[in-house]
Amino acid sequence: MSQRELVVLGTASQVPTRTRNHNGYLLLWDGEGLLFDPGEGTQRQLLYAGVSASAVRRVCVTHFHGDHCLGLPGVIQRINLDRPPHPFSVHYPASGQHFFERLRHASVFHETVELRPEPITGPGELAAPGAPYSLRAARLSHPVESFGYRLTEPDGRRLLPERLAARGIRGPLVGELQRHGTVTAPDGSTVALAEVSEERPGQSAAFVMDTRLCDGVAELAAGVDLLVIEATFLEADAELAQAHGHLTAGQAARVAAEAGVRTLVLAHFSQRYPDLEGHRAEARRHFDGDLVLAEDLLRVPVPRRR
């Protein structure tokens, strides 16, 4: 079975703590790794997680605050050191182009792998040629320009063996049916794909970091199987969250409940909360699905298909 899981590399906001590294979230999707917001220390966290930097095919930066991007130089240089046989892309807000250039060329190294800068000028579909998914960005609400990301697998169909057998479809005929949508059965009748299969909804995941509540949050979260979302503060500090462009655990959980999210991963915790039971209790008041309070090096599987 294809591997689809989230590898949590870091969960701290603004500054790392003794138990939490700066941000870093790697989504493994059928052998392709999407690295979100590599904060300082991400290269070492990949080592601890047992994941090669060569697995990274795409880096997605939400914004250019340091806890979300200062690990980019190390990740870029490590990928070039490992020399994977494929290029990799970096998506980031176009308004931070000068920050990207500084991070990309932060020190001397030998470039061996093609890096494809993919600056984002506005919300919408992002270029992901050849990927087994579509990738979309939505604008968030933070003191600096910030975008969240959503990965969506196209819907497909699952063949039903008993229906295939009933119509005599086997061997090379199965492949022909999948390629063309219809096939001539041994009895001379025409069999359509829809007759011997059922819909298979595509899986989806969304990544929402530093933001207040806004339309983009709801857009990204709508119906996703896996939502990784910041929960920097608790409701008692809601005014502080609003002022600094962040969410509370309660707000994140309400978004997930209203959106029909299946697995909710809360992350990006302020250092003011050494214990996260308050986050758990606050989230549970609104969300009764699969709830995960992210810890460094935790692995979270993408939920099984509906």
Side-chain angles (χ1 to χ4, degrees):
M1 180 178 293
S2 298
Q3 182 187 40
R4 294 184 179 182
E5 66 176 348
L6 172 73
V7 182
V8 181
L9 302 173
T11 55
S13 70
Q14 193 172 34
V15 295
T17 71
R18 292 181 183 273
T19 58
R20 296 185 181 277
N21 198 71
H22 263 163
N23 287 283
Y25 310 88
L26 179 67
L27 181 62
L28 297 175
W29 196 275
D30 296 352
E32 182 166 323
L34 294 90
L35 177 61
F36 295 91
D37 281 8
E40 186 179 350
T42 293
Q43 180 185 176
R44 193 161 187 250
Q45 293 297 93
L46 284 168
L47 179 65
Y48 279 131
V51 180
S52 169
S54 298
V56 177
R57 296 290 292 266
R58 198 172 300 277
V59 181
C60 300
V61 177
T62 59
H63 65 294
F64 283 102
H65 278 153
D67 54 323
H68 296 260
C69 68
L70 285 179
L72 193 57
V75 169
I76 290 174
Q77 293 185 27
R78 181 53 185 267
I79 291 174
N80 278 273
L81 181 65
D82 291 352
R83 302 190 181 195
H86 55 74
F88 67 105
S89 300
V90 183
H91 302 275
Y92 55 90
S95 60
Q97 182 67 36
H98 54 302
F99 296 120
F100 172 74
E101 293 297 340
R102 293 174 188 171
L103 291 166
R104 179 181 180 180
H105 300 293
S107 65
V108 177
F109 70 100
H110 182 51
E111 292 193 49
T112 62
V113 181
E114 180 187 358
L115 185 157
R116 297 173 177 173
E118 302 281 356
I120 303 170
T121 58
E125 294 293 322
L126 304 178
Y133 53 77
S134 63
L135 190 63
R136 184 174 183 82
R139 193 179 299 279
L140 300 176
S141 175
H142 198 53
V144 300
E145 187 173 47
S146 183
F147 290 94
Y149 298 90
R150 178 183 174 121
L151 176 153
T152 304
E153 177 188 32
D155 293 339
R157 301 196 70 85
R158 184 173 71 89
L159 293 173
L160 301 174
E162 65 279 6
R163 294 189 186 178
L164 290 170
R167 300 301 298 272
I169 307 300
R170 61 177 61 88
L173 291 179
V174 176
E176 185 178 343
L177 176 63
Q178 290 177 308
R179 288 191 299 273
H180 303 294
T182 61
V183 70
T184 301
D187 64 5
S189 63
T190 298
V191 178
L193 181 61
E195 298 178 58
V196 292
S197 65
E198 63 182 6
E199 289 187 0
R200 186 194 68 177
Q203 291 180 301
S204 57
F207 184 81
V208 178
M209 280 293 121
D210 300 16
T211 183
R212 306 174 183 90
L213 288 175
C214 63
D215 291 343
V217 175
E219 176 188 336
L220 293 166
V224 293
D225 295 297
L226 179 72
L227 173 63
V228 184
I229 187 169
E230 69 130 308
T232 309
F233 294 100
L234 292 176
E235 290 290 343
D237 298 310
E239 291 186 5
L240 194 59
Q242 176 69 17
H244 291 277
H246 287 290
L247 296 174
T248 67
Q251 288 173 329
R254 284 196 297 272
V255 165
E258 293 169 2
V261 170
R262 298 177 65 200
T263 294
L264 169 62
V265 180
L266 299 182
H268 194 272
F269 305 112
S270 169
Q271 63 177 326
R272 69 180 57 218
Y273 308 110
D275 185 289
L276 297 181
E277 286 309 306
H279 286 70
R280 187 185 306 279
E282 194 166 286
R284 275 294 178 219
R285 288 199 288 269
H286 307 282
F287 183 77
D288 60 5
D290 186 14
L291 172 65
V292 178
L293 272 66
E295 298 286 346
D296 289 20
L297 307 183
L298 182 68
R299 289 176 178 253
V300 183
V302 175
R304 295 177 65 88
R305 296 185 186 280
R306 297 180 188 272

